[in-house]
Amino acid sequence: MLEDIAIGITLFATWQNVVAIAGGVVIGVIIGAIPGMGAAMAVALALPFTFYMDPITGILMLTGIYKGTYYGGSASAILINTPGTPAAACTTLDGYPLARKGEARRALDIALYASCVADFLSNLSLILFAGVIAGFALRFGPPEFFALVVFSMTIIAGVSGDSLMKGIAAAALGFLAATVGQDLFYGSPRLTFDSSNLLGGLSFVPVLIGLFAIPQILDQFNRRLLVTEKIATTAKAIGATFADFRYCLPSIIRGSVIGVILGAIPGIGGAPAAFLSYSEARRTSARRENFGKGELEGVAASEAGNNGVCGATLIPLLSLGVPGDIVTAVLLGAFMIHGLQPGPLMFHQNIHLIYAIFAGLLLSTVVLYIAGKIAIRLLSRIVDIPDNLIFPSVLVLCFFGAYVVNGSSFDVLIMIIAGLVGYLMLKTGLPTAPFLIAFVLGPLFEDNLRRSLLMSGGDLGIFVRGPITWFFLALTILTVVSIGRRSWQDFRKQRLAAAEKPG
């Protein structure tokens, strides 16, 4: 085994491979910061350039781009409240409020530290536990997925702000938006209004951009508020300190573990992992009331969750030959183009190549830290741009991001409508986070619910069929009881405060 590892490291240790992994990460960070591009598009666009490369060089470049985009998405999420990638949507909840307070540099720093720690732990998990985690992931069927999604939805209560009812109303709108399109099982159209463009449902990226970016642009235009000047006063001053990192470290480790576990399960992705990590951080934090208002721990938890997914998605790909998400499906194509078939046989036939890729993945974490530090200095200058330039520029990026996903002008219309809905929600006090969570998790909820019932012939007992479902359902019950208890205590405090007021 040691001889195989030595040969693998020797195969990796060429300047071409080092340049490929470094260049891939840098390209990924840049593309990830552009709203609407995303990891899948970046990797797919880069795939043709790897056809004539050595297999190790080409695959390392693509994985570098994959990892870079996940961190890059946090930059625009923090600075302009527009997630560069869907996985960074959760980062806006606390990242942008921190930027509004003049702590953009601090938020960017902690996002980078959380991303690097999570990426390293994810890579380490891939190297050490690929077989074990892949085996555990195979135990997840529709009932287990359903229990996991139900537990993930408890975060809606945590991001609803001061009014739980408004949060539930916003989540209901998100669920409604998630049902647009063809029925998953029967193919019948739902809420399409006889439009063929809606048969595939509402595209996530246009809705995401419209929901977060457009309302802010409209609001700042109406109020003539120079937000960029507020941010610029301290954005380049003090970054995150070691004390900040130490305080956030438990949430970073927890989020990394959540990202690794969910990343190893095909079909989950970075966004649910980020929201679940954020939910757990808020539940266990001593400053839970500050979440959503500019809490550094919230940024760390979100970034740890979504970056923890990166290495873990390669676990089912390399060990089973099953892509964990869209990006790894593109990577599967890259392997096959180079005459390689991921799966159990690959560990016997191409073990040296596997170890070479592992070495490159470990180096990618170091490159990500260096590239991230450089990017923070450059991206922080965004806040120095006058508002009469930055808002039109952001608007152009929004239209570009919405269009390039599918090359459809209809998606631009969806973004505009989502933006108007988001603006109305902003003015009426409805929080956007519950809407987004329900929109992301709604299809997973419906799909796994109906698959489970089809498997059991309508028997609800399938939802408590094993230890995994019991575990997540027990966590859900405990969380709901805890939320109810806190709500009752807050209600009693408000009544007592009202009773003690004179007159």
Side-chain angles (χ1 to χ4, degrees), residues 20-364:
I21 195 74
V25 171
V26 171
I27 292 169
V29 170
I30 296 171
I31 293 179
I34 301 174
M37 291 295 285
M41 181 177 295
V43 174
L45 290 174
L47 180 60
F49 295 97
T50 68
F51 289 170
Y52 300 103
M53 293 182 182
D54 181 81
I56 297 174
T57 307
I59 290 167
L60 286 177
M61 189 181 83
L62 295 178
T63 54
I65 292 173
Y66 178 26
K67 290 173 176 294
T69 52
Y70 264 67
Y71 167 70
S74 67
S76 55
I78 291 168
L79 291 172
I80 59 176
N81 200 36
T82 307
T85 62
C90 188
T91 307
T92 61
L93 301 181
D94 284 290
Y96 187 64
L98 280 167
R100 292 286 299 272
K101 294 177 182 178
E103 300 180 28
R105 179 68 180 270
R106 190 164 168 240
L108 288 168
D109 276 349
I110 206 66
L112 175 62
Y113 302 153
S115 298
C116 290
V117 171
D119 185 59
F120 175 75
L121 292 178
S122 186
N123 292 335
L124 203 61
S125 300
L126 168 65
I127 295 169
L128 299 178
F129 309 115
V132 176
I133 296 178
F136 175 72
L138 287 178
R139 297 174 62 188
F140 270 71
E144 287 75 20
F145 274 116
F146 177 76
L148 171 63
V149 171
V150 170
F151 172 60
S152 300
M153 285 181 178
T154 58
I155 189 182
I156 289 173
V159 296
S160 295
D162 298 329
S163 174
L164 180 60
M165 294 307 299
K166 285 186 176 181
I168 293 174
L173 287 175
F175 274 120
L176 185 65
T179 61
V180 174
Q182 285 185 313
D183 184 278
L184 296 173
F185 289 86
Y186 299 107
S188 55
R190 301 183 303 191
L191 300 177
T192 59
F193 305 100
D194 296 325
S195 172
S196 59
N197 292 306
L198 289 174
L199 288 176
L202 298 176
S203 295
F204 181 71
V205 172
V207 171
L208 179 70
I209 293 174
L211 197 65
F212 280 93
I214 302 300
Q216 293 296 327
I217 293 172
L218 292 176
D219 189 49
Q220 302 309 329
F221 176 78
N222 286 339
R223 294 193 296 165
R224 301 293 197 277
L225 183 61
L226 302 183
V227 176
T228 51
E229 290 185 3
K230 279 192 171 184
I231 298 174
T233 55
T234 54
K236 292 185 288 185
I238 299 174
T241 63
F242 181 74
D244 291 329
F245 175 73
R246 186 173 58 187
Y247 171 73
C248 295
L249 187 59
S251 290
I252 292 173
I253 300 296
R254 187 190 309 111
S256 302
V257 173
I258 290 172
V260 168
I261 294 173
L262 297 191
I265 302 170
I268 293 293
F275 279 113
L276 182 57
S277 174
Y278 183 88
S279 174
E280 285 302 292
R282 185 185 184 280
R283 186 178 65 83
T284 58
S285 176
R287 299 193 295 199
R288 65 174 64 93
E289 301 301 326
N290 199 36
F291 275 63
K293 302 174 184 177
E295 174 55 49
L296 203 63
E297 192 178 359
V299 175
S302 171
E303 285 301 298
N306 70 51
N307 281 273
V309 166
C310 291
T313 53
L314 298 175
I315 292 173
L317 176 67
L318 294 178
S319 60
L320 303 172
V322 177
D325 59 7
I326 298 174
V327 181
T328 47
V330 179
L331 289 176
L332 176 61
F335 274 98
M336 297 178 72
I337 286 169
H338 289 287
L340 302 169
Q341 179 59 56
L345 290 178
M346 191 171 178
F347 281 81
H348 295 284
Q349 298 172 353
N350 303 99
I351 188 63
H352 301 150
L353 184 143
I354 293 289
Y355 285 133
I357 292 174
F358 286 167
L361 291 176
L362 291 176
L363 178 64
S364 70

